[in-house]
Amino acid sequence: MHESLRRLASEEVMVERGDMRRVRVELLDGDHVSVDVHRRANGGDLLDKVCDNLDIVEKDFFGLLHLQRGDPRVWLDLNRRLSKTFRNEPWDVRLAVKFYPPEPSEVKDDNTRYQLSLAVRRDLLEGRLQCSNITHALLASYVLQAELGDREGPTSLSSIRAVPLHAINEEFEAQVDELYAKHKGQTPAEAELNYLDNAKKLSLYGSELHCVRDSEEVDLVLAVNSHGISIYRDGVLMNRIPWAKISKISYNKREFRLRLRPSECDEFETHVSFKLSSTRACKKLWRCSVEHHMFFRRWEPVPVEVIPGLRRLGLRRLSCRRTLRQIRDSNECAPVA
């Protein structure tokens, strides 16, 4: 009898373990943690679990990246089961900020702001965000204040991963130390907020970059962010299209299309199109644009309509659970501690 119970208990443990999957998560500070989720869990369940472990309250700004066919920046579909995205364990994902708040001061939770500052620091380190040397020094000085506080004497920039190693020299370190001395007395939360208030002024702050070509086969970069879609050529801003100007976003195979509302001087709508390297890249740009428009412009998430008879178009699911306006409304209604 006792042997039968032990055998039954061991079988139940095996079944329980068999229902769980191991996920390896890279955090914004570069550390790795392992998370166990149910095999039927979707991307949203995993994101909630990671944010809960890090005590992140405002989860809707964040997402999870994974590697897909050589592309390291593919966002995990929060509505899709993880087992349909990954095959071999451990499943590897990377925590990242998906929607950068245009006003970091509106972020109520200090830990959320800290994670946001880590994301900006990573963007600078990996080259997705560019700035001048003096701005780089100012941002690094706020990182030192947040990490070390009112510390006297020389500091090591390489140890806190504030700027790329190739940018560090004696002149740059002297600039940082001079600025760092002016922040004396600031708390870590105040220094992080000042860091973000200066970072938000950068032209590529919070931008998702996509390589495209225009009708004349000229290489361009489209930057999708909270304000709209910006067009860059050789690092120079050529045009900025705000969300209010865009009436429709669509794609067909490798062609990405924007329909623009007429201005005061125009009588008809304008159509702008770009070419991408593949249908997959084009769909990625379309999804990024629609999700950003939905998050920053809509009152609430709107599902993409399924076209009858075209089942494939029904797969255009979007990973946006709450919009920025819903987050603001919930923060305003939240009781003051």
Side-chain angles (χ1 to χ4, degrees):
M1 181 67 178
H2 291 292
E3 184 179 352
S4 300
L5 290 175
R6 284 197 298 269
R7 187 185 305 113
L8 179 61
S10 63
E11 290 176 355
E12 289 178 352
V13 171
M14 290 178 64
V15 171
E16 183 178 352
R17 289 179 179 175
D19 285 340
M20 304 302 291
R21 296 293 182 267
R22 178 63 52 89
V23 184
R24 186 168 53 195
V25 184
E26 182 181 352
L27 305 180
L28 285 162
D29 59 2
D31 291 340
H32 290 78
V33 297
S34 294
V35 178
D36 292 328
V37 296
H38 195 274
R39 63 184 179 85
R40 293 184 178 273
N42 58 28
D45 298 329
L46 176 59
L47 178 61
D48 289 338
K49 200 163 189 176
V50 173
C51 290
D52 290 340
N53 290 340
L54 295 174
D55 294 326
I56 297 175
V57 177
E58 293 159 292
K59 307 174 185 178
D60 299 279
F61 294 111
F62 296 84
L64 296 169
L65 293 168
H66 68 102
L67 177 66
Q68 186 180 82
R69 297 190 180 184
D71 185 354
R73 292 192 61 83
V74 177
W75 292 103
L76 194 67
D77 189 340
L78 300 183
N79 301 312
R80 188 180 185 184
R81 278 175 52 178
L82 295 169
S83 58
K84 293 185 177 180
T85 302
F86 301 101
R87 292 294 180 264
N88 300 323
E89 292 187 63
W91 298 342
D92 287 308
V93 297
R94 174 174 158 185
L95 180 67
V97 175
K98 186 172 186 179
F99 305 111
Y100 287 70
E103 292 296 333
S105 59
E106 293 183 345
V107 178
K108 300 300 181 181
D109 179 48
D110 289 343
N111 193 29
T112 303
R113 280 201 302 269
Y114 170 67
Q115 297 293 332
L116 178 59
S117 67
L118 288 178
V120 174
R121 286 162 62 177
R122 188 153 196 167
D123 290 341
L124 286 166
L125 288 171
E126 296 180 356
R128 286 188 302 277
L129 194 57
Q130 303 289 336
C131 63
S132 63
N133 287 337
I134 185 60
T135 302
H136 229 150
L138 178 62
L139 293 175
S141 67
Y142 282 121
V143 173
L144 290 175
Q145 183 64 31
E147 296 282 344
L148 305 178
D150 298 336
R151 181 176 176 178
E152 301 292 341
T155 56
S156 176
L157 290 174
S158 58
S159 62
I160 62 171
R161 289 172 52 85
V163 294
L165 293 177
H166 65 80
I168 300 176
N169 53 46
E170 292 184 2
E171 181 181 356
F172 183 81
E173 288 185 330
Q175 280 184 322
V176 173
D177 288 337
E178 181 181 352
L179 294 167
Y180 176 31
K182 297 180 181 180
H183 307 326
K184 188 174 182 179
Q186 291 185 15
T187 65
E190 291 172 340
E192 286 162 5
L193 183 56
N194 287 327
Y195 177 90
L196 292 173
D197 281 338
N198 283 275
K200 74 178 184 181
K201 301 173 185 177
L202 302 177
S203 59
L204 291 177
Y205 165 78
S207 295
E208 282 286 326
L209 306 180
H210 300 262
C211 297
V212 301
R213 288 185 176 181
D214 63 8
S215 57
E216 299 179 354
E217 298 296 326
V218 176
D219 291 329
L220 303 171
V221 172
L222 297 188
V224 184
N225 53 39
S226 61
H227 303 293
I229 300 177
S230 300
I231 305 172
Y232 288 84
R233 179 178 178 182
D234 297 330
V236 178
L237 177 64
M238 305 299 294
N239 194 9
R240 182 180 287 115
I241 308 174
W243 292 125
K245 181 73 174 176
I246 301 174
S247 62
K248 185 177 181 180
I249 305 171
S250 62
Y251 77 94
N252 182 23
K253 296 183 179 179
R254 296 192 304 153
E255 185 178 17
F256 178 73
R257 302 169 180 169
L258 297 174
R259 187 168 69 190
L260 309 182
R261 293 185 174 90
S263 61
E264 297 179 355
C265 302
D266 299 327
E267 185 177 355
F268 303 102
E269 292 181 330
T270 305
H271 295 262
V272 183
S273 63
F274 304 92
K275 298 178 183 178
L276 284 94
S277 58
S278 65
T279 302
R280 182 180 295 274
C282 196
K283 184 176 181 179
K284 178 183 176 182
L285 173 56
W286 172 86
R287 174 173 289 178
C288 174
S289 303
V290 174
E291 287 178 344
H292 274 71
H293 177 270
M294 185 180 298
F295 183 84
F296 291 107
R297 292 285 297 178
R298 293 280 190 173
W299 286 101
E300 60 184 13
V302 179
V304 176
E305 296 181 1
V306 178
I307 301 177
L310 296 176
R311 180 179 177 83
R312 188 175 181 182
L313 294 180
L315 299 177
R316 294 179 171 183
R317 293 170 300 191
L318 303 174
S319 294
C320 177
R321 297 186 290 185
R322 286 199 307 169
T323 65
L324 181 60
R325 296 188 182 187
Q326 289 176 316
I327 296 173
R328 287 170 174 169
D329 290 343
S330 64
N331 288 338
E332 291 175 359
C333 298
V336 179

